[in-house]
Amino acid sequence: MSNAPARSDASRQSDAIPMTTKIANLVISVVLIAIAASAIATTADFPKSMLATDVGAARFPIIHAGALILLSLILIANTLRAPTAAAAGGPSVGVAGYAGVALGMLATAGCIAAMEYVGYGPATAVYMAVIMALMGQRSPLWNPVLAVGVTGLIYAVFHYALQVPLPVGSLFE
Amino acid sequence: MHELDLLMGGFAALAANPLALLLALVGVALGILIGALPGLTATMGVAILLPFTFGMDPVSGLLMISGVFFGGIYGGSVTAILLRIPGTPAAAATAMDGFELTKKGMAGVALGTATLSSFLGGTASIIVLIFMAPLLAGFALEFSASESFALAVFGLSIIASISGRSVVKGLIAGFLGLLIATVGMDPMDGFPRFTGGYTELFNVPFIPVMIGLFAAAEAFKSLEDPKVRLGMAAALGRIIPDWPTYRRMLGTVARSTGLGVVIGIIPGAGADIAAYVAYNEAKRFSRTPENYGKGELAGVAACEAGANGCTGGALLTMLTLGIPGDAVTAVMLGALTLQGLQPGPLLFKEHADLVFTLFAGMLFCYVAMLVIGLGSLRFMGRVLQMPKSVLTPVILVLCVVGTYAINNSLFDIGIMLAAGIAGYFMQKWDFPASPVVLALIMGPMAEANFRRALSLSGGSYDFLYSRPITAILLSIAILTLLLPLVKRWRAHRLESRAGGTASPLNQA
């Protein structure tokens, strides 16, 4: 009688996952399970198909959501089973880095909101200047010049060359 | 060879019509620009140009539209490779390896390979269209709902091979994409699913999601590292790939072109599906499949040859049967009708001179695309010389404007932003974006055709195995899905025994 060979330390070490990735995997899995479960719950309100031969509007979302739940559970099991590595490989992103990303995302949301009222030109020029500043380009002269120049060039390409209208803004309509 | 004589006659007629040649050149250049801009697809380019062609003679008008079509399919690859912004859905496949090559400082050779492969794939597909149109037209008629469903399942099975380090995370991304693909009107009853009352969600917002997942996510990532923020982007390097390198890819280009032509013929399947299928087959036949996804030139060649190979196939069924192969040819069908030409078998008999002049013009369009493409790559590559602090804001503005241009909708920009945020975190935690895009393309096609096939068969599932093309495609799909899993599982077992490197199967 012989036992199955134990996995070597090197192999276990190579399967190891940093704690931050483990937490992320678990959080993402739980969020996905919640999304999939709510999708399945929503399908209860879908009407039955008028065709006797059809599987109905709910069948495919249920299959996809069910598979998503199963795969998320597998990811949770794999994550919990894997040993914890000391730290993530590669350069780590500091608080300043994440703050830059968050501000970039907020600026994009702000640009979308502003575009509805002031239209493409002002919203995009300000947005571009803000993103350039976030990227470290903080010249008081070049920032506005580049922002207005690029905004104007894109407007010319889309509006005049390609005949694609860009938002005017409810304040100027 | 009757066709060859007619083609020679077509070239002679074309030479006597310099305006048509000039308009074809303008069309190709415009198509490349439209294809390169995010949000603007070849379909949109053809639709925008259609009213301008009303007053032109049929050859000039149709060649200009063909130029936009061909240039639009190719143009998407330029920004996909340089900036990871897929200008067209097909270019999302090219971005997988193309952008990795840019990060390695090989942007030039990636662009050169894409241009050459697009030219070869497109030209070969037009030659097939010229000489084998009647022969292949019958194949399109073999495709009903069950075959289209099987093709979509085959396309979806590719997810396993484009999953990157973790198959589980790739499959999660794929099924999340499939779930998102069910948002909108139910394909059979028209019931709005998961729309929350928003009419904007009645159709799956596929292109905003793609732009967000690829381009916006990459731009947000650039914001996180101060060194990256202030640095210059990658160098362009050599443009034309050296002959020994490209010669090794000729088999891949030929296979991908063949796949592109066949997929192009199938109604409802377009360049996006062809690019992914060609990529998967190139990886399957490769001696170094592990390099795919990490910057493999053959991956770029396969996607571009496949996508451009589709053009001839899509035109084939449109011209011979009046069935458009994809959305672009559906718009072109309208252009033909407006010019007083009725697509169908009689078109080749009653207007043979005109049709073969058009074919000669299409071959000219591809040569023009090669010349304009290669000639402009150095100029387009200058984008990489811009400091990232300027390039990233430009990318984000293009994402916003390009997304708005699809439906003139600010709501779509919101979806793009949400996808960009999700894409940023997906990159951060190793969830690949490509399976989501693939699922968004194939999901609606699979569901609609499965339910249609089921209705046609009276509720019986027999069509899954009783129709030969369906059965073959589904069998290949099962093999495509399972083989990478089995290979990874075996590799994992061997590594576990030997105590080797990390296994991708268990990489959570």
Side-chain angles (χ1 to χ4, degrees):
Chain A
M1 289 274 287
S2 67
N3 292 326
R7 290 181 65 195
S8 70
D9 284 349
S11 178
R12 278 185 63 79
Q13 200 54 46
S14 64
D15 281 345
I17 304 170
M19 184 51 86
T20 48
T21 309
K22 277 190 153 187
I23 293 168
N25 282 351
L26 295 174
V27 170
I28 291 168
S29 300
V30 170
V31 169
L32 288 175
I33 289 170
I35 291 171
S38 64
I40 291 172
T42 308
T43 59
D45 299 331
F46 290 0
K48 288 221 180 303
S49 177
M50 286 176 282
L51 290 166
T53 53
D54 187 24
V55 291
R59 180 69 62 87
F60 273 78
I62 289 172
I63 292 170
H64 301 326
L68 196 55
I69 290 173
L70 182 69
L71 286 162
S72 299
L73 289 173
I74 293 172
L75 183 62
I76 289 174
N78 282 353
T79 304
L80 292 176
R81 218 176 46 184
T84 306
S92 61
V93 182
V95 177
Y98 284 121
V101 176
L103 286 172
M105 290 168 178
L106 278 174
T108 313
C111 173
I112 301 167
M115 217 179 258
E116 195 169 349
Y117 299 103
V118 298
Y120 162 79
T124 310
V126 172
Y127 171 61
M128 198 169 156
V130 169
I131 299 289
M132 276 197 287
L134 285 174
M135 292 289 291
Q137 174 89 31
R138 289 181 185 142
S139 161
L141 175 69
W142 282 111
N143 261 29
V145 168
L146 277 170
V148 172
V150 171
T151 304
L153 181 68
I154 292 175
Y155 183 82
V157 170
F158 276 79
H159 189 82
Y160 294 110
L162 301 173
Q163 308 278 311
V164 177
L166 293 174
V168 180
S170 56
L171 293 177
F172 303 113
E173 271 173 354
Chain B
M1 292 283 275
H2 180 56
E3 284 90 356
L4 203 58
D5 294 337
L6 284 168
L7 187 63
M8 289 302 142
F11 275 117
L14 202 62
N17 191 351
L19 179 68
L21 292 174
L22 182 69
L23 288 170
L25 275 175
V26 171
V28 170
L30 203 62
I32 293 174
L33 176 69
I34 287 170
L37 289 170
L40 297 186
T41 58
T43 315
M44 202 187 280
V46 170
I48 289 169
L49 211 67
L50 193 60
F52 294 100
T53 62
F54 288 169
M56 298 176 189
D57 66 283
V59 173
S60 301
L62 291 168
L63 275 188
M64 194 173 178
I65 286 177
S66 302
V68 173
F69 178 25
F70 303 157
I73 301 283
Y74 156 71
S77 69
V78 178
T79 38
I81 290 167
L82 290 177
L83 306 168
R84 202 172 180 247
I85 303 178
T88 56
T94 310
M96 285 191 289
D97 279 87
F99 188 66
E100 291 300 317
L101 286 161
T102 297
K103 286 204 279 190
K104 288 180 183 173
M106 293 169 69
V109 81
L111 287 170
T113 301
T115 310
L116 281 174
S117 308
S118 298
F119 164 72
L120 289 175
T123 307
S125 78
I126 299 298
I127 292 170
V128 169
L129 169 66
I130 294 169
F131 293 101
M132 297 172 74
L135 193 74
L136 289 173
F139 175 71
L141 296 175
E142 294 292 319
F143 259 75
S144 72
S146 68
E147 283 78 14
S148 294
F149 161 71
L151 177 69
V153 172
F154 172 50
L156 284 168
S157 67
I158 293 167
I159 287 173
S161 69
I162 58 168
S163 288
R165 290 176 67 206
S166 165
V167 177
V168 175
K169 286 184 175 178
L171 289 173
I172 285 177
F175 276 99
L176 182 65
L178 284 171
L179 193 57
I180 296 170
T182 60
V183 174
M185 301 281 264
D186 168 54
M188 293 296 273
D189 298 325
F191 175 77
R193 298 184 294 193
F194 309 117
T195 56
Y198 291 100
T199 50
E200 291 92 340
L201 290 174
F202 276 13
N203 288 314
V204 185
F206 156 54
I207 295 178
V209 171
M210 185 187 77
I211 293 174
L213 281 178
F214 280 88
E218 195 63 37
F220 289 144
K221 194 164 174 271
S222 313
L223 282 163
E224 70 181 20
D225 185 0
K227 279 179 240 152
V228 172
R229 284 189 296 202
L230 295 170
M232 302 283 275
L236 188 64
R238 177 196 177 103
I239 285 183
I240 312 265
D242 58 79
W243 174 238
T245 306
Y246 199 78
R247 195 180 53 191
R248 279 197 294 275
M249 289 186 278
L250 282 177
T252 302
V253 170
R255 186 188 322 109
S256 306
T257 303
L259 284 167
V261 172
V262 172
I263 290 170
I265 292 170
I266 299 164
D272 39 16
I273 299 174
Y276 275 103
V277 170
Y279 180 85
N280 185 58
E281 294 312 305
K283 187 177 177 182
R284 195 206 304 266
F285 280 87
S286 171
R287 285 181 191 159
T288 52
E290 67 280 2
N291 291 347
Y292 280 69
K294 296 172 189 163
E296 174 62 58
L297 263 183
V300 172
C303 295
E304 286 306 303
N308 286 274
C310 230
T311 54
L315 285 166
L316 192 146
T317 44
M318 192 268 280
L319 290 171
T320 54
L321 302 170
I323 303 169
D326 59 10
V328 193
T329 43
V331 182
M332 286 181 80
L333 185 69
L336 270 174
T337 316
L338 283 168
Q339 295 285 0
L341 301 167
Q342 189 59 48
L346 288 178
L347 182 72
F348 284 74
K349 284 185 182 164
E350 291 172 0
H351 301 281
D353 292 346
L354 176 71
V355 169
F356 277 83
T357 308
L358 270 179
F359 288 160
M362 285 173 184
L363 290 173
F364 171 78
C365 282
Y366 268 112
V367 175
M369 194 194 80
L370 179 71
V371 174
I372 295 173
L374 288 178
S376 61
L377 286 183
R378 281 261 167 240
F379 172 71
M380 288 199 262
R382 283 201 184 277
V383 82
L384 291 181
Q385 307 305 318
M386 279 166 80
K388 280 236 168 180
S389 57
V390 177
L391 185 59
T392 302
V394 172
I395 291 173
L396 281 171
V397 170
L398 280 176
C399 290
V400 169
V401 178
T403 306
Y404 178 82
I406 304 163
N407 293 318
N408 295 345
S409 159
L410 289 170
F411 188 89
D412 281 357
I413 312 179
I415 290 171
M416 183 279 294
L417 174 62
I421 295 169
Y424 169 75
F425 287 106
M426 283 173 74
Q427 266 195 48
K428 201 105 202 107
W429 307 115
D430 260 347
F431 286 85
S434 297
V436 180
V437 174
L438 187 63
L440 284 172
I441 297 168
M442 306 288 187
M445 182 177 166
E447 181 182 1
N449 284 297
F450 176 83
R451 291 171 66 183
R452 218 167 281 151
L454 197 60
S455 293
L456 288 171
S457 66
S460 162
Y461 290 90
D462 288 354
F463 67 88
L464 293 172
Y465 52 85
S466 61
R467 296 179 68 94
I469 298 176
T470 307
I472 290 168
L473 279 171
L474 287 175
S475 306
I476 298 171
I478 291 166
L479 282 176
T480 306
L481 188 66
L482 292 183
L483 272 179
L485 291 173
V486 171
K487 274 185 189 169
R488 286 182 190 219
W489 178 74
R490 284 183 62 182
H492 179 70
R493 242 178 43 155
L494 285 171
E495 279 164 12
S496 294
R497 282 180 186 163
T501 53
S503 159
L505 186 70
N506 201 26
Q507 197 88 42

